[in-house]
Amino acid sequence: MKKLLGLLDFKLLKFLLVGVVNTLVGSAIMFGLYNLAGWGYWISSAMNIILTSVLSFFLNKYFTFQSRGWSLGQVVRFGVNILLCYLAAYGVAQPLCRLALAGAGETVRNNVSMLLGMVLFTGLNYLGQRLFAFRDQA
């Protein structure tokens, strides 16, 4: 329990600040592609994650977790973390919203699902970046 509470510190605040920037950019990309361009759920949400992940990598590496070293392993861990968090968050959100909003239209269900996916992704991504991608090397 003490280790879990240790995750609630200034790094979390900085992660959330970086997340605000990513959320604004990613939301515009994802909801714009889905609602304005007519792209599907998975491609719209994937473009959000792909395009904002590069920004997230650099901001979280240097600003949030102050990880100064460079290694291919760190880049690979970051990419694996993003992929797993994306698949888990959006993969869970879509069927949940399909069940919870069974009477709503597909567009409403998918928009709510993408919103829920963003929330789930944020929590999973924080844990993955902190404990896996940019973990202390000490």
Side-chain angles (χ1 to χ4, degrees):
M1 182 67 159
K2 187 175 182 179
K3 187 158 180 106
L4 181 64
L5 291 175
L7 296 174
L8 305 174
D9 61 6
F10 193 58
K11 287 181 182 178
L12 176 60
L13 178 62
K14 291 195 295 187
F15 183 84
L16 292 173
L17 289 172
V18 168
V20 167
V21 172
N22 275 339
T23 298
L24 293 174
V25 171
S27 294
I29 291 167
M30 182 171 62
F31 290 112
L33 289 175
Y34 183 78
N35 293 297
L36 301 176
W39 292 19
Y41 173 85
W42 285 105
I43 191 70
S44 298
S45 61
M47 292 305 294
N48 163 27
I49 299 302
I50 290 166
L51 296 174
T52 58
S53 289
V54 173
L55 176 62
S56 175
F57 178 82
F58 287 103
L59 288 175
N60 283 317
K61 177 178 177 53
Y62 292 111
F63 175 68
T64 304
F65 301 111
Q66 298 177 355
S67 176
R68 300 293 181 222
W70 269 96
S71 72
L72 179 59
Q74 189 177 65
V75 173
V76 169
R77 284 192 310 271
F78 180 85
V80 167
N81 175 64
I82 293 294
L83 178 63
L84 293 177
C85 291
Y86 169 69
L87 292 173
Y90 288 86
V92 166
Q94 191 177 42
L96 280 177
C97 288
R98 196 176 296 135
L99 285 172
L101 302 171
E106 182 181 7
T107 300
V108 171
R109 282 193 315 265
N110 282 342
N111 276 288
V112 172
S113 177
M114 288 188 292
L115 186 62
L116 176 60
M118 288 172 54
V119 172
L120 295 173
F121 179 86
T122 299
L124 294 172
N125 188 34
Y126 171 70
L127 292 172
Q129 285 192 39
R130 177 136 187 200
L131 301 174
F132 179 63
F134 300 119
R135 70 180 179 264
D136 292 334
Q137 299 298 314

